[in-house]
Amino acid sequence: MTETKTRSPELRLAAGAIGELRQELFHDPFAYRPMGPMRTDGPLTRWMPGRIGAGFAWAPHAMVLLAALITFLAGFASTGNAGVLLSGLLPAGCVAMTLVRPVGAFWISMALTPVTVIVEGGNEPWGPSLFFSHLVVLLVVAARTRPRTAVWMWTFTLVLGLFVEGVVGAGGGTETAAMAVVSAFALLVVSVVQISREAQREVTVQRTVTAVERDRRTLLEERTTIARELHDVVAHHMSVVAIQAEAAPYRVENPPPELEQAFVTIRENAVAALTELRRVLGVVRADDYEAPDAPQPTLADLDRLLANVGEAGLETEKAVTGAVRELPQGVELSAYRIIQEALSNSLRHAPGATARVEIGYVLGGLGLRVVNGPPTAPVKPSPGAGHGITGMRERVAMLNGEMTAEATTEGGYEVTAFIPAQPTASGASGTREASGTREASGTREASGTREASDTREASGTREASDVSDASDASGASGTSRASGISGDSVEQA
């Protein structure tokens, strides 16, 4: 039977510290680790010219090489040509080596201390050049490793100084004390700066993750809102199809059984599609969501919107080009919402400016452009996360359109969008209507009066269901027009 013994927190902490020590200072100490260029996006280097800012990225390398030169000159000045190798050249090489092999440079600098004392027979562990070089090595290695590594290096340096002074008999303890105090203060400063940068880096990463999550949540919210609106549009048209299919047999005197059965099949399929649509798309509704009582807005309500924003202080101008025609309700609704959001942004971010709304009816769809001038009044802080542009992009993307939103050279803002749209259902229904008239003109001409009479007698229910708009048209035209609009709406959804 094996018994599992849990170690105390102190033992786990000590084991973790020893593991980090082994990883940082003993595992492959002479590995090639070149120092990269410094970042140039700081507050100081940001304002420098291009070439100077790019060259400033190598400033730490230049400072290290300058320290190596100072070390060499100090060693040469103190010992001359006789001891320049141990007191000048090798310490300077250790300082320069920190640029490519920092941990190896630390161990070589540590080894130079007893070797120099033994070979030259000095009375102190560190001469002027060796003191300066070892201090530089400690600072550079601490800046390139973890703060805990600086503690280990300081401890090893202190133990080495005490060992050289005690065993070899060099000095009286003053050099080790000076090295301990100066290096402790310098390593503390480097560690604090390093910890501060690491904390700032983690905060930046966390902010980036939070911004991504917020954008993703905003995207889902906007898609939910769009899906709700399109669901209402498609459900309305499918209801019209079902009602018209049910009323169509009463518009023709003595319809054939095949025709009656065809309309019954159309109605059953429409009801089944409506049920499935509500089951699939209805899940996007919130628990407290209530379907709007009023119809969804279209471009026909744009003048009312412009009047409202005009009362709020935004002077607007509208320009319409091309032949105005009826578009699928999903396109009309999305175009209205895009213009509404663009004008709302103009009110919030450009107080006192004027706005221009341009609508272009082209062969392949609908073009929109909303542009406002620069603000003429102080811009107040606007609460919210700024989801308007995201919502507009989602609306355009769901309709396979394109959109741009960018600042203008005059200081204003411009939103342009193109929404592709299928040809209007009225043209296609007119063709089908003419064909149907030629095929069955005798029956429909003879029953025209009776159809109108039957329709008016049974129009009470259909008027309440928004079917009275199509009661004056022929049965085939009404059915084809509703089917065309419904098909467009389903494609847009």
Side-chain angles (χ1 to χ4, degrees), residues 452-471:
S453 175
D454 294 339
T455 303
R456 286 192 295 270
E457 290 175 0
S459 63
T461 305
R462 291 193 298 274
E463 287 176 356
S465 306
D466 294 333
V467 186
S468 61
D469 295 336
S471 63

Side-chain angles (χ1 to χ4, degrees), residues 409-456:
T409 56
E410 294 81 7
Y413 205 79
E414 179 183 35
V415 175
T416 59
F418 176 77
I419 305 176
Q422 299 291 337
T424 57
S426 59
S429 65
T431 303
R432 291 191 294 268
E433 189 175 314
S435 175
T437 302
R438 286 194 299 270
E439 292 174 359
S441 59
T443 304
R444 291 182 181 173
E445 288 174 2
S447 61
T449 306
R450 288 191 295 273
E451 285 177 9
S453 175
D454 294 339
T455 303
R456 286 192 295 270

Side-chain angles (χ1 to χ4, degrees), residues 316-479:
T316 58
E317 177 185 359
K318 184 180 76 169
V320 180
T321 58
V324 179
R325 65 183 185 276
E326 182 181 358
L327 298 173
Q329 190 168 355
V331 175
E332 296 252 355
L333 173 61
S334 296
Y336 181 89
R337 295 301 188 194
I338 290 172
I339 296 174
Q340 183 183 37
E341 184 61 36
L343 294 177
S344 299
N345 290 340
S346 300
L347 278 172
R348 286 193 297 266
H349 304 295
T354 58
R356 179 180 174 84
V357 179
E358 298 178 2
I359 304 174
Y361 290 86
V362 296
L363 182 61
L366 181 69
L368 301 175
R369 180 174 180 265
V370 182
V371 58
N372 61 265
T376 59
V379 180
K380 298 180 180 180
S382 177
H387 301 168
I389 300 296
T390 303
M392 289 189 285
R393 292 189 188 279
E394 278 300 304
R395 291 185 181 276
V396 174
M398 291 184 69
L399 297 175
N400 297 324
E402 298 178 356
M403 173 186 159
T404 59
E406 58 187 0
T408 61
T409 56
E410 294 81 7
Y413 205 79
E414 179 183 35
V415 175
T416 59
F418 176 77
I419 305 176
Q422 299 291 337
T424 57
S426 59
S429 65
T431 303
R432 291 191 294 268
E433 189 175 314
S435 175
T437 302
R438 286 194 299 270
E439 292 174 359
S441 59
T443 304
R444 291 182 181 173
E445 288 174 2
S447 61
T449 306
R450 288 191 295 273
E451 285 177 9
S453 175
D454 294 339
T455 303
R456 286 192 295 270
E457 290 175 0
S459 63
T461 305
R462 291 193 298 274
E463 287 176 356
S465 306
D466 294 333
V467 186
S468 61
D469 295 336
S471 63
D472 294 334
S474 64
S477 172
T479 304

